[in-house]
Amino acid sequence: MKMRLLWMILIGMLVGRCHASVVLDIFKYMQRTADYQPQHVHLAIGETNQDMVVTWTTFSPTPRPIVEYGIKKLDQLAEGTSQKFTDGGSEKRAMWIHRVTLPNLLPNTGYMYHCGSSYGLSNLFYFKTWMNGTDWPVSLAFFGDLGAENAQSLPRLQAETQKGMYHAIIHVGDFAYDMDSDNARVGDEFMRQIQPIAAYVPYITCPGNHESAYNFSNYRARFSMPNYDETESLYYSFNIGPVHMISINTEAYYFLQYGLKPLSNQYQWLLEDLKEATKPEVRAVRPWIFLFGHRPMYCSNSDKDDCTKVNCRTRVGLPVVHTYALEELLDTYGVDLAIWAHEHSYERLWPMYNYTVLNGSITEPYTNPRGPVHVITGSAGCKERHDSFLPNPPEWSAAHSTDYGYTRMTVYNNTHLYWEQVSDDKNGKVVDTVWVIRDEHVSYAQLRG
Ligand SMILES: *[C@@H]1O[C@H](CO)[C@@H](O)[C@H](O)[C@H]1NC(C)=O
Ligand SMILES: *[C@@H]1O[C@H](CO)[C@@H](O)[C@H](O)[C@H]1NC(C)=O
Ligand SMILES: *[C@@H]1O[C@H](CO)[C@@H](O)[C@H](O)[C@H]1NC(C)=O
Ligand SMILES: *[C@@H]1O[C@H](CO)[C@@H](O)[C@H](O)[C@H]1NC(C)=O
Ligand SMILES: *[C@@H]1O[C@H](CO)[C@@H](O)[C@H](O)[C@H]1NC(C)=O
Ligand SMILES: [Fe+2]
């Protein structure tokens, strides 16, 4: 670009044009290279289920960001904020991230929208809001570890999302591989690739180890989860139908170079959140509690990851001092389901606590389980490919698969949920299914007596 500018100035001088017109040419050239078009358009649920947050990127600064939206026509307008984000790499590439909240939407209603500014608008997209209240069947897709390269599950997820199969997509950490790579161009590429999903349903996230560069800066800048102003998408919770969904940052246990505060703040918050969600009158109307985070506390993979170890940090707390242990919280507060990724495989565990299997009954292990249920779903597809399993799985490992794929789940009502594992390698074949039935959503410790 510098060379072209020099040539223009030189040619301008050679043909004897006046100074002002050379400046005008340069100005026109800069105008052409400025990039005001919205990219990476994606949705997130807002502070309440009546709000939707639209986030996008431009590579040049624009006037105030707007979303025009409506049910039959684009007759509503919302304004938001812009943030300049500078990647930490050598080029210090800058981009502008724009966030707009669409407030007070009607439940169970289709909306169309486009986003941008007076300098340029996106394509027209649409979404359907969630239903009101707690009494409706919720459909979700879960997966982790989806990269920009070898993103094998992506086409199937795009097709299913646009057919309206899911109320939300939950990406359980590890994006792009990595978002900061090549001065964040890999992050840009990834955000472009997920737009056909993420512009249509809330794309809900938590950070993984691949987001750690520059204190998780790409992750924090590019997503807009609930409570964004305080926790920058690192941890938060929200409600969807009969489910209270908690997203945590397991990386706070591992990247201690960024300080202990991220971990202690999160833990305090988590305790309060669980206490609130398990108040009898709250749980009576919204009984399910799911917790998701990137790194599992159990796994039977043949790598040497922390989840293969008895003293896994997220399970028993930090080394030696054993503070901020999570497994006892899952048990005490009767968390129904713990969803993890990081291992590039799928694994379902029998209900268990502290390495002890706690099946509901001999014939129906997931009917009134006596311990938390864990699932690890980190095989959406990335350039690191698969992680394999130990030849002799431990007794707590119920099912596993190394096929690329993702997890589909339906929470039918207060007592019944179903999930299935989709194998992309086997053209969408379902390779594992399970029903979890809980008649009473109480502390497991209490249940065991
Ligand atoms: C949603 O349901 C609640 C309680 O049932 C009710 O108070 C509220 O008005 C409903 N909201 C909408 C937008 O229908
Ligand atoms: C990293 O980011 C977190 C969350 O924004 C912040 O609390 C922490 O102080 C940061 N750490 C460093 C070393 O900058
Ligand atoms: C878990 O089991 C180990 C070994 O049996 C025991 O030492 C430990 O106290 C147990 N932890 C909890 C929280 O029950
Ligand atoms: C749990 O249930 C499964 C399926 O019925 C069974 O194979 C397994 O042995 C049970 N484990 C224990 C410890 O009861
Ligand atoms: C909950 O959903 C399951 C599965 O669809 C169904 O079998 C069960 O009867 C439902 N329970 C209630 C109380 O509606
Ligand atoms: Fe990971």
Side-chain angles (χ1 to χ4, degrees), residues 99-377:
R99 298 174 221 274
V100 173
T101 300
L102 316 185
N104 308 317
L105 301 171
L106 296 174
N108 198 27
T109 302
Y111 282 86
M112 50 185 176
Y113 74 99
H114 57 199
C115 61
S117 72
S118 60
Y119 281 13
L121 289 161
S122 71
N123 286 356
L124 196 56
F125 299 109
Y126 58 86
F127 62 81
K128 193 173 176 191
T129 51
W130 296 344
M131 286 166 79
N132 193 19
T134 57
D135 191 13
W136 51 279
V138 172
S139 296
L140 303 167
F142 284 99
F143 55 84
D145 308 75
L146 178 66
E149 188 187 319
N150 190 30
Q152 199 181 308
S153 304
L154 193 62
R156 193 175 300 281
L157 283 164
Q158 290 170 336
E160 292 182 351
T161 301
Q162 294 193 8
K163 280 176 195 149
M165 278 175 62
Y166 304 113
H167 296 106
I169 302 289
I170 303 195
H171 185 149
V172 190
D174 278 4
F175 304 78
Y177 289 75
D178 296 348
M179 288 202 287
D180 64 293
S181 297
D182 192 8
N183 288 280
R185 286 185 185 87
V186 175
D188 295 343
E189 177 55 32
F190 178 81
M191 297 307 289
R192 273 194 285 278
Q193 289 183 15
I194 62 165
Q195 183 177 284
I197 299 176
Y200 298 91
V201 296
Y203 196 87
I204 292 168
T205 60
C206 68
N209 51 304
H210 281 270
E211 284 70 69
S212 70
Y214 319 117
N215 200 3
F216 299 86
S217 68
N218 267 272
Y219 174 81
R220 290 191 278 135
R222 290 177 193 262
F223 293 104
S224 313
M225 296 302 125
N227 200 27
Y228 184 78
D229 291 342
E230 278 179 50
T231 59
E232 295 181 300
S233 309
L234 293 170
Y235 58 90
Y236 56 89
S237 65
F238 63 96
N239 298 318
I240 177 167
V243 187
H244 181 65
M245 195 83 79
I246 303 174
S247 175
I248 62 159
N249 172 20
T250 54
E251 304 319 298
Y253 287 81
Y254 294 94
F255 291 93
L256 297 172
Q257 65 266 40
Y258 296 132
L260 206 58
K261 262 261 168 296
L263 178 53
S264 61
N265 288 348
Q266 168 173 276
Y267 188 84
Q268 282 314 316
W269 168 86
L270 178 60
L271 257 182
E272 292 309 312
D273 192 79
L274 284 169
K275 279 182 187 156
E276 180 61 34
T278 54
K279 279 183 180 161
E281 67 276 19
V282 176
R283 207 155 191 192
V285 291
R286 185 174 288 111
W288 295 98
I289 300 178
F290 297 176
L291 180 142
F292 66 94
H294 182 61
R295 285 194 224 204
M297 54 180 78
Y298 296 104
C299 66
S300 59
N301 295 82
S302 56
D303 48 32
K304 295 279 188 304
D305 282 354
D306 206 29
C307 51
T308 64
K309 303 189 174 113
V310 168
N311 283 331
C312 175
R313 289 183 186 191
T314 49
R315 193 177 83 81
V316 300
L318 292 181
V320 190
V321 287
H322 289 199
T323 44
Y324 312 119
L326 287 179
E327 191 182 29
E328 57 192 47
L329 297 187
L330 301 181
D331 192 60
T332 303
Y333 293 96
V335 171
D336 300 286
L337 196 58
I339 301 153
W340 317 105
H342 189 57
E343 299 305 315
H344 299 168
S345 52
Y346 166 78
E347 185 166 21
R348 168 167 59 85
L349 310 187
W350 297 121
M352 69 187 290
Y353 178 56
N354 201 17
Y355 277 89
T356 305
V357 174
L358 295 158
N359 286 346
S361 72
I362 291 170
T363 51
E364 305 289 340
Y366 294 102
T367 299
N368 297 317
R370 291 177 303 123
V373 175
H374 295 255
V375 58
I376 300 135
T377 176

Side-chain angles (χ1 to χ4, degrees), residues 51-72:
D51 304 337
M52 191 72 89
V53 182
V54 186
T55 308
W56 70 94
T57 305
T58 57
F59 289 96
S60 301
T62 69
R64 85 198 150 101
I66 56 161
V67 173
E68 291 182 306
Y69 64 106
I71 297 166
K72 291 213 173 70

Side-chain angles (χ1 to χ4, degrees), residues 23-40:
V23 171
L24 200 68
D25 283 350
I26 293 169
F27 183 71
K28 277 186 189 151
Y29 177 78
M30 307 261 285
Q31 282 276 303
R32 256 190 299 122
T33 56
D35 188 352
Y36 303 118
Q37 291 301 315
Q39 298 191 33
H40 314 166

Side-chain angles (χ1 to χ4, degrees), residues 368-402:
N368 297 317
R370 291 177 303 123
V373 175
H374 295 255
V375 58
I376 300 135
T377 176
S379 58
C382 70
K383 69 178 185 185
E384 292 181 353
R385 305 195 173 264
H386 298 298
D387 291 330
S388 49
F389 287 98
L390 293 168
N392 300 307
E395 64 152 12
W396 41 261
S397 180
H400 50 69
S401 162
T402 49

